[in-house]
Amino acid sequence: MAAHDAREGALSQESAPVVLVKDNIAVRGQSWTAGSPLFAGCRADRDAGAVQRLREAGACFPVRTTLHELAFGVTGANAWSGDIANPHDPGRIAGGSSGGAGAALALGLGDLALVTDTGGSARIPAALCGVIGFRPSTGRYPGDGLIGLSPSRDTLGLMARSLAPILWADAVIAGEAKEEPGFPGSPTIAIPAPEALGSLEPAVGAAFARTVTVLEALGVRTVPCDLSRITALDEACGFPIALFETARSLAASVPALTGRDLASSLGRIAGADVRELVSSALSGEAVPQAVYDEAIGTTWPALRGAFAELFAHGIDAVLQPTVPMVAPARAGGETVTVCGEAVPAFPTLSRFTRPDSMAGLPAISLPVGCDDAGLPIGMMLTGARGRDRALLQLAARLAGPFRDKATRAVPRRG
């Protein structure tokens, strides 16, 4: 296999980029299980549209990566194939749902990973494993060939150790021949107030402050921003939309791929937490139709409008930590501890990645170093909807100062 040079730059025309593909994305002739016995034995008879475009551009697809079961979680837990361990410390999580891709890339496998991101699945494991994770604007990439969850927020995403494979793959999948204009002069990056960020582990808080200092030294203009309305709107609509749509998505994909209906197949879901969530969503009790209608028809457009208003006032990107902590222990299950307080894993690890996902915005997590124990820390830039290439260009411009601090591939463990 011809692997890509990890330095920034264009992919070699002579190479065949090795692309790792998350197992909820169709690759012709390969297994297609979404990490769950619900789809055990399923095999794709065609490529997803994005896979086909990458294949036509010369990519090869020798490796499937595992995931949090059904992509319905952020820790990488999987009662069927086994929980995904963080290669920097196997006693800690790799994150989810694309934890298999994050761990494999951190170990030096492949050039690029094609994953999905519904609420942070490309960026959370990227931050916890020390690689780069990119979520494009919703609708930028073809959406066929996925075992999806929520059409309102599902998208393919990209992960890699450096930006070059992501820049290449984004152009190929999106079908863009020309670069869109970048940010003129010095970019303006919005910085939320410390109190708005909530509890951060000390190492993450220090890394955030250090990142702001480095950006300002590079000539970036930083301005304060208030995300409280955006956060409130996301909390009001994000979970109801995701849960309501997940039940309907699985109710369509299960019979299409297995010939069984979802209701009679719930017992095949290996993880009790995932099974209970899907069962609750399918019953309609968790999110009644009226609640979904209000969320999708009123609150969701208000969220997108609030982000549009923010970017309309001269903001090029928003900087936040990708997650508020380094990788937590696997033994904690669906509970993590931040600053001495035990809190639910899902809302905590996805605190910063949910609102832009719900609004369909592009966002990228960049590694900015490690804590004293060598556990990676990531920072996230979020851009305006449709300004994907400009955001990637900004990330490339700003990633240089952190390159030496960023986590390199860790030794492979026997």
Side-chain angles (χ1 to χ4, degrees):
M1 297 185 295
H4 165 67
D5 189 323
R7 295 172 299 177
E8 300 298 333
L11 287 172
S12 168
Q13 295 299 311
E14 290 75 32
S15 67
V18 176
V19 181
L20 318 177
V21 183
K22 188 176 177 180
D23 194 26
N24 60 345
I25 303 169
V27 179
R28 185 180 66 245
Q30 296 187 13
S31 67
W32 192 20
T33 71
S36 176
L38 187 63
F39 294 102
C42 290
R43 192 170 292 274
D45 59 6
R46 61 180 179 83
D47 286 334
V51 171
Q52 180 180 354
R53 292 183 184 184
L54 290 171
R55 192 188 296 278
E56 290 170 351
C60 62
F61 307 92
V63 178
R64 299 291 264 168
T65 57
T66 189
L67 59 150
H68 195 117
E69 188 176 11
L70 295 177
F72 213 177
V74 295
T75 64
N78 194 307
W80 185 45
S81 61
D83 295 349
I84 306 167
N86 192 305
H88 299 272
D89 180 347
R92 296 176 181 267
I93 69 169
S97 62
S98 310
L105 288 166
L107 287 167
L109 300 176
D111 302 307
L112 174 79
L114 184 65
V115 298
T116 58
D117 188 309
T118 301
S121 292
R123 293 159 287 157
I124 293 168
L128 299 184
C129 293
V131 298
I132 300 171
F134 173 61
R135 175 197 168 92
S137 297
T138 305
R140 178 173 175 82
Y141 297 165
D144 64 298
L146 309 183
I147 299 175
L149 296 177
S150 173
S152 297
R153 50 197 294 169
D154 284 347
T155 179
L156 292 172
L158 300 168
M159 298 169 69
R161 289 182 298 277
S162 69
L163 274 166
I166 291 176
L167 288 164
W168 172 79
D170 175 76
V172 169
I173 298 171
E176 290 191 352
K178 296 181 180 179
E179 292 288 335
E180 66 182 63
F183 301 117
S186 296
T188 298
I189 295 182
I191 310 295
E195 57 270 18
L197 295 175
S199 296
L200 301 177
E201 281 193 342
V204 175
F208 181 71
R210 185 170 62 249
T211 301
V212 173
T213 299
V214 169
L215 295 180
E216 291 174 340
L218 290 171
V220 172
R221 178 173 175 256
T222 60
V223 297
C225 69
D226 181 3
L227 300 179
S228 58
R229 181 166 181 263
I230 283 172
T231 300
L233 288 168
D234 174 70
E235 289 177 352
C237 72
F239 185 73
I241 290 173
L243 198 58
F244 186 93
E245 292 184 349
T246 291
R248 280 140 189 83
S249 293
L250 291 176
S253 60
V254 170
L257 295 179
T258 70
R260 302 181 300 267
D261 69 278
L262 176 60
S264 64
S265 303
L266 290 173
R268 294 174 178 267
I269 300 175
D273 57 333
V274 177
R275 185 169 57 251
E276 289 168 8
L277 275 171
V278 174
S279 177
S280 175
L282 189 62
S283 71
E285 295 177 358
V287 184
Q289 181 74 48
V291 172
Y292 174 75
D293 290 344
E294 173 69 17
I296 199 74
T298 302
T299 316
W300 185 36
L303 172 64
R304 300 175 98 171
F307 265 118
E309 182 179 356
L310 174 69
F311 288 111
H313 285 80
I315 302 299
D316 297 313
V318 178
L319 175 73
Q320 298 177 92
T322 310
V323 289
M325 62 192 305
V326 295
R330 289 166 58 198
E334 291 304 308
T335 299
V336 297
T337 301
V338 182
C339 299
E341 181 183 2
V343 290
F346 183 86
T348 301
L349 294 177
S350 64
R351 182 194 304 169
F352 302 120
T353 61
R354 290 195 314 270
D356 53 20
S357 300
M358 193 67 251
L361 308 184
I364 187 165
S365 177
L366 300 170
V368 297
C370 301
D371 71 357
D372 290 341
L375 295 171
I377 297 170
M379 293 292 144
M380 184 174 70
L381 291 169
T382 299
R385 185 173 174 85
R387 294 282 280 153
D388 298 66
R389 292 304 286 188
L391 180 69
L392 287 171
Q393 292 165 26
L394 177 62
R397 178 175 171 182
L398 302 180
F402 297 108
R403 187 178 295 121
D404 293 335
K405 297 184 178 70
T407 307
R408 300 303 182 189
V410 299
R412 300 186 187 182
R413 300 176 185 271

